[in-house]
Amino acid sequence: MFLVVGQGNPGEAYAKTRHNVGFMVLDRLGLAFRRKGEALWAEAELGGKRGIFLKPLTYYNLTGRAVAPLARFYRIPPERILVVHDEMDLPLGRLRLRAGGSPAGNRGVASIAEALGTEAFHRLRIGIGKPPSRGEGAAYVLSPFSPEEEPLVERVLGVAAEAVACWVREGLLPCAGRYNGLDLRQGDKL
């Protein structure tokens, strides 16, 4: 069994913000989500593997509250958990699949690591670029994409959804090799 977690904030005010790309990617998979506890979740089968797709409603920085109890109940090990989240250290148009590592200032990832007691889970980092100036990070991640960015965002979300499906079917290493080098700003294709 696997668990894919899209990070974001609940509510219409946050729906189209940079911080919600994790939710947006899961929405691209066409799953029927239902509310259960502190999350929206969908059970699905991909590539002959059964799993859960989760959109925590705990707000971004408290994502671990929804993830850890579910992972424990279903006995899903960290290497079968993929967290999809925004990443300011990557430009818009870049994706990065990786296993483990520090949260690097991402409070949602830190919340999951703390709640699980490990940083060994997998991540799909979606580049959103850096804020215009230092100290504007919080306002930047809670801002919507500009109209000029929208066509690229649409492409990124589609490719990221493909990367999630790849991770479920094939695992981290083959998918990292396929997706980590793409630069969608340059029109790269699979």
Side-chain angles (χ1 to χ4, degrees):
M1 181 166 245
F2 63 84
L3 173 61
V4 176
V5 180
Q7 286 196 290
N9 287 310
E12 197 58 38
Y14 299 106
K16 299 209 182 261
T17 65
R18 296 168 192 277
H19 230 13
N20 273 40
V21 294
F23 281 11
M24 293 177 204
V25 169
L26 266 56
D27 289 341
R28 288 296 176 105
L29 295 171
L31 303 168
F33 285 91
R34 59 190 161 95
R35 186 172 183 134
K36 187 168 186 179
E38 292 187 293
L40 296 175
W41 74 310
E43 278 191 71
E45 189 172 305
L46 282 175
K49 297 174 183 169
R50 189 173 69 90
I52 298 169
F53 295 85
L54 190 73
K55 296 194 299 185
L57 300 176
T58 54
Y59 287 93
Y60 196 101
N61 294 347
L62 300 173
T63 308
R65 277 190 1 205
V67 173
L70 190 64
R72 284 189 191 101
F73 182 81
Y74 286 100
R75 295 187 174 124
I76 302 171
E79 63 275 6
R80 295 300 302 144
I81 299 172
L82 177 67
V83 178
V84 183
H85 65 87
D86 59 293
E87 178 63 63
M88 286 193 297
D89 287 335
L90 289 174
L92 181 62
R94 299 295 305 264
L95 309 173
R96 191 77 74 233
L97 280 153
R98 67 178 286 192
S102 102
N106 185 311
R107 291 183 185 149
V109 172
S111 171
I112 294 169
E114 183 179 335
L116 291 176
T118 182
E119 295 175 348
F121 52 91
H122 296 176
R123 296 128 198 228
L124 173 56
R125 300 163 53 211
I126 313 286
I128 61 167
K130 294 202 179 283
S133 62
R134 292 181 82 94
E136 293 183 35
Y140 182 71
V141 296
L142 295 177
S143 69
F145 292 99
S146 72
E148 297 79 30
E149 293 172 315
E150 283 297 329
L152 180 55
V153 171
E154 288 301 311
R155 191 153 180 245
V156 166
L157 295 175
V159 171
E162 292 172 18
V164 168
C166 179
W167 177 85
V168 169
R169 286 189 313 267
E170 301 176 38
L172 181 72
L173 292 179
C175 299
R178 194 171 306 148
Y179 291 93
N180 285 359
L182 291 179
D183 188 344
L184 301 172
R185 299 169 299 173
Q186 306 301 319
D188 284 358
K189 295 182 178 159
L190 290 175

